[in-house]
Structure formats: C-alpha cells, structure tokens
Amino acid sequence: MLIELPRHTEIFGSVKIHELQRVLKLDSGGSENPRACDIAFEDIKEVLKELAIIVPIKNENIHLLEGVLRAIPFDCTVIVVSNSTRGPQDIYKMEHDVITNVHNLTQQEMLAIHQKDPELGFSFHDVGYDYILDHDRLVRDGKAEGMIIGMLLAKALGKKFIGFADADNYIPGSVREYVMDYAAGFCMSESPYTMVRLHWRYKPKVVEDRLYFKKWGRVSETTNKYLNLLLSTTTGFETRVVITGNAGEHALTVKLADIMSYSTGYSIEPYHFVYLFDEFGLKAEKIVYRDAISEGIEIFQIETLNPHIHEEKGEEHIKNMLLGSLSTIYNSKLCNDYVRHKVLEELVDILEVYKPPDTFVMPPIGDINADEFFKQVSTYSDTFLWLKPGMIESRVDEEAYLRRFKAEAVK
Ligand code: GDD
C-alpha cells in the first residue's frame, strides 16, 4: 500500500498526532518515493494475523452485516458484539446464523456474544468491572459498552491489535480497505501505544436525486473544531491537526487499549482525544503510565480511498451524538472559560441545551483478568459463539447458503 507521509506532526506532551495521510494506492509496487511510505503486502498480512476486528451491532440490516463479515480480511479474527432485539423475533439468532454461515464457508475465526447476556454481566462483576453494568447487573446499552466487551475478548485471544468496523456499511470493499488501512498504520508506527483513525474521503448523500460526494459530516466538523480549540488554547498556537474526532472506524494496540479510559455510547471516539490530552498532554497532572509516556502515544489519521456509505439514523441520533461529543470536550480538564463559552454557544444554538451532562467515564481495562473473563463467558454464556478455523457448525442450512453464494458469484 502506498500512503502519503504526514506533512506535520503535532506534539502535545507525550501525544503525537500525525496530520492527515492519504491512501495513494491500495496495492503498490514497492517503489521509492520521498513523499510516501510504501508498505509491503507481507508486512500488512503479518499485522492482520494479530488483529481482531470488532463489529458492534444493534438491529442492523442482516444483508449489511453479511457484507461486512465477508469483507474483513481472512487473517483477522472477527468479534461480533450484538445488542439487537431478542424475544419472539430474535434478531440475534439471525445474526448468529449469518456469522455461522460465513464461518462455515470461509473457515475464518469468528466470535459472537449478546451484550445483554446475563452471564456477561456476572463475568464483569466477578472481574471487578461493575462500571459497565446497570442496576440489574446487565451490561448497559451503548456502542462503547459493546466495544469494551469485544476488546476484552480480543485481549484474551492474545491479539496485539484491535480494530472496529460498524455493521451498517453498504460497501463491503470499503470495509476491507479500512482494515488494511489500520494494518498499514501499525506498520508505520514506532510506538507500542498507537491508534489509527480513519477519515473518509467522501460521505455521499442523495441530494435532489443525485449522489453528492460530501466531504464532512456535521458532527465531525463541529467535534474537530472544538478538539482543535482545546489544543490551540492550551499551547497558544492555532492548530487544525485533529480531523478524526468522531472516527467510529479506528484501531488501537492492545497496549494502548489497556491504559485508555472510555466514555459511554457514541461519545467514546471524541473522548479518546480528550482523555489522551488530559492524561498525557502538556498539562498532565500525574504520571501513571510511565512506559507510555516514555514511548509516546502515536495517532495516525488516514484518509481512505473509498467513500463511506452507511445507514442514516435520523436527526435525533445526530443531535445526541453531537451532544455526547461536545460534552466530553466541555468536561475536559483542559477546557478553559473561553472554550467552555464557545461550546455552550454551540449547544444552545443547535441543540437548545443549556448545560451539557457530565461525561460518564469507565476506567482502563488493563487490570482486568481477561483470561478469567473469557473463561467465564465461554463456559456459562448461552449467547457466546466461538467458531475456530477447521470447525463446521451445523445449525445452518449450509447447502442453501452455498447455492446463494455461488449464484451471487455468477451474477
Ligand atoms: N453492540 C452494540 N451496542 N452496538 C451498537 C449499539 C449498542 O448499544 N448501538 C449502536 N451499535 C452499532 C450499530 O449497529 C453500528 O454497527 C455501529 O454501532 C455504529 O452505530 P450507528 O448508530 O450506525 O452510528 P453512526 O453510523 O451514526 O455513527 C458512527 O460513525 C460516527 C462517525 O461518523 C459511529 O461509529 C459513531 O461512533 C461515530 O462517531
């Protein structure tokens, strides 16, 4: 893969944020180029073998899930964490069947679990991580909560890297690219504490019966603006380095995942920045993670070649996401009166909110005994599924599926 080198890297305490890097060519020829980094396919493949891709899902179109699963490169382990509706019409059962079918045909390692499985709640309680539980000792709703479940399973499997792919992506080819981009980021990194965040080249929308290739989503534009303002007002130098404030598509090393705190729901991605700025930035108050501070934390921001087309969830959803994002910034330790005032203006104008809610933060997962967690979940949980290469799970009508697979290939 040929990726532009970052033109500039903003250094903020121990955090290094690389400026946007464009993917120039997905499959490159190994040529020398002073402006770009050529990453050999073999190197990417080595990373893929140590990478788990977590797919959080809640009531998405099953065809989209199937496309996403088929697109994730074979060498990765796939972990689906579902919060879909159960009951008479059991959507998790449908997801389970699709996962099983794709596994049976491809032999890729795949895991799945349902977020509301009571055994999952007990397991979190037993390993001392009640922060993720509600009053009934079930895991709370929320994308971030699903991501944490996936991260612990990945860690127990001995993975070195963890990436995320939303389940509602219409273009399987773009999902494949995202995963390759993550691996490329890890190939370029020099620190064991690395995060790779994707910026979509375009996010197309239908405008008057035509596709309009929009560059920015509304939430991202606003989140980036205020994350940059946090940095600018702290250093005294204006910057626009952050362009991936809401990057749902991101990946990180397990070493970094272990020392991050996580906010809930959809605010998890902007909070990554806020947490890193607060704890490892210029004004960090105490040194908790000495090794991370000496190695430095690297953030890559890669612009994909493919556009991003996904399910639209409506105005209310966008507003909630924006509220979550801006609240994390408002509650940052770095937020001074000026930034607070600006964020409030934004909240009042767009959302008619006069005081942002506190950010609920879940502490790092590094101290959790992931092996014990995995053992408990895999032994007792009814919804847990672990399909290893070489296994054929027989609960699905594989022949019918194979016929459909072949028919599609002919088309
Ligand atoms: N396990 C689990 N639990 N998954 C969930 C939950 C939950 O409670 N809620 C949502 N998901 C899944 C969705 O099914 C989807 O696969 C993924 O999380 C993202 O949720 P969407 O509702 O589709 O979010 P979005 O597309 O509006 O926003 C995405 O992109 C933003 C950047 O533009 C998300 O990834 C955001 O986090 C991101 O900031």
Side-chain angles (χ1 to χ4, degrees):
M1 183 182 296
L2 195 66
I3 292 198
E4 243 177 6
L5 288 170
R7 270 178 308 173
H8 172 70
T9 296
E10 196 82 48
I11 298 181
F12 187 68
S14 310
V15 187
K16 293 182 193 164
I17 311 167
H18 298 296
E19 252 186 21
L20 176 80
Q21 295 172 257
R22 286 182 307 154
V23 171
L24 299 173
K25 193 107 179 89
L26 283 172
D27 192 5
S28 60
S31 58
E32 293 280 320
N33 182 336
R35 287 175 49 210
C37 180
D38 196 306
I39 303 160
F41 184 66
E42 298 74 54
D43 294 342
I44 290 184
K45 213 167 156 64
E46 284 310 307
V47 173
L48 296 180
K49 289 179 191 156
E50 297 189 280
L51 172 63
I53 295 296
I54 296 166
V55 181
I57 183 165
K58 186 173 182 183
N59 298 334
E60 302 293 353
N61 183 317
I62 208 78
H63 296 284
L64 299 187
L65 172 68
E66 188 193 316
V68 168
L69 295 179
R70 284 167 62 183
I72 296 172
F74 175 81
D75 289 304
C76 305
T77 296
V78 179
I79 303 176
V80 179
V81 183
S82 171
N83 194 15
S84 298
T85 312
R86 310 228 46 201
Q89 202 213 12
D90 189 348
I91 297 184
Y92 182 63
K93 162 82 177 56
M94 290 181 343
E95 293 163 359
H96 189 291
D97 286 350
V98 166
I99 296 162
T100 307
N101 275 316
V102 177
H103 162 80
N104 285 353
L105 292 168
T106 62
Q107 290 301 300
Q108 183 166 10
E109 183 175 40
M110 293 191 177
L111 288 80
I113 190 149
H114 196 275
Q115 194 160 329
K116 293 291 180 188
D117 190 319
E119 288 301 337
L120 195 51
F122 292 138
S123 304
F124 270 112
H125 176 70
D126 288 350
V127 293
Y129 200 79
D130 282 0
Y131 315 97
I132 198 168
L133 303 179
D134 64 15
H135 294 305
D136 298 323
R137 214 177 264 179
L138 292 174
V139 173
R140 275 191 314 273
D141 290 327
K143 182 188 161 210
E145 285 71 1
M147 290 163 68
I148 291 179
I149 298 167
M151 286 195 274
L152 279 174
L153 297 179
K155 206 181 142 182
L157 291 174
K159 296 289 169 180
K160 201 168 154 197
F161 308 104
I162 298 170
F164 299 93
D166 288 349
D168 60 342
N169 196 315
Y170 275 93
I171 316 288
S174 72
V175 176
R176 178 176 188 277
E177 186 205 334
Y178 299 162
V179 177
M180 305 299 265
D181 294 348
Y182 297 156
F186 293 125
C187 289
M188 289 185 288
S189 84
E190 288 172 359
S191 166
Y193 300 90
T194 291
M195 182 177 282
V196 184
R197 302 173 75 93
L198 301 187
H199 170 72
W200 305 311
R201 188 163 176 215
Y202 295 109
K203 203 172 168 187
K205 299 254 175 286
V206 176
V207 178
E208 291 180 354
D209 295 342
R210 280 185 65 195
L211 266 188
Y212 173 65
F213 284 77
K214 209 168 175 295
K215 263 258 174 256
W216 293 100
R218 255 186 312 159
V219 180
S220 323
E221 209 169 352
T222 314
T223 307
N224 294 338
K225 180 168 140 194
Y226 289 101
L227 283 171
N228 282 319
L229 196 61
L230 265 190
L231 281 181
S232 307
T233 50
T234 309
T235 59
F237 290 86
E238 191 172 330
T239 180
R240 292 192 188 160
V241 69
V242 176
I243 53 150
T244 55
N246 289 96
E249 260 68 26
H250 66 273
L252 74 178
T253 56
V254 168
K255 277 192 111 166
L256 181 57
D258 270 350
I259 61 168
M260 297 287 296
S261 287
Y262 299 97
S263 68
T264 54
Y266 292 106
S267 62
I268 181 166
E269 286 98 9
Y271 184 72
H272 286 146
F273 276 116
V274 170
Y275 172 75
L276 291 175
F277 295 168
D278 283 354
E279 302 303 322
F280 299 93
L282 273 185
K283 293 192 176 169
E285 281 158 11
K286 51 183 190 303
I287 296 179
V288 183
Y289 299 108
R290 203 166 283 283
D291 185 48
I293 286 180
S294 73
E295 296 276 5
I297 293 159
E298 259 189 292
I299 302 181
F300 289 87
Q301 304 184 98
I302 297 180
E303 183 186 88
T304 63
L305 192 59
N306 280 283
H308 187 79
I309 306 184
H310 68 144
E311 284 278 79
E312 293 294 342
K313 308 272 161 59
E315 197 58 24
E316 209 45 41
H317 174 70
I318 298 278
K319 284 188 171 175
N320 279 333
M321 209 181 272
L322 188 57
L323 178 63
S325 298
L326 290 178
S327 302
T328 63
I329 298 170
Y330 185 90
N331 293 315
S332 160
K333 290 182 197 162
L334 296 182
C335 196
N336 56 28
D337 284 348
Y338 175 73
V339 183
R340 222 170 274 131
H341 177 73
K342 288 277 172 202
V343 170
L344 268 186
E345 269 181 4
E346 194 83 45
L347 285 173
V348 174
D349 281 359
I350 311 180
L351 306 173
E352 292 174 22
V353 168
Y354 298 89
K355 171 130 180 46
D358 291 340
T359 306
F360 184 83
V361 173
M362 295 176 273
I365 57 173
D367 287 337
I368 299 180
N369 183 338
D371 293 339
E372 184 53 39
F373 175 81
F374 191 95
K375 201 166 117 198
Q376 280 216 32
V377 167
S378 56
T379 313
Y380 300 114
S381 151
D382 284 341
T383 66
F384 180 77
L385 179 70
W386 185 9
L387 302 167
K388 301 178 205 170
M391 257 171 79
I392 293 286
E393 175 80 26
S394 56
R395 261 176 287 172
V396 286
D397 183 355
E398 208 168 305
E399 280 185 10
Y401 191 76
L402 197 53
R403 280 198 297 277
R404 186 155 75 77
F405 222 63
K406 282 186 181 154
E408 267 182 43
V410 171
K411 266 193 256 161

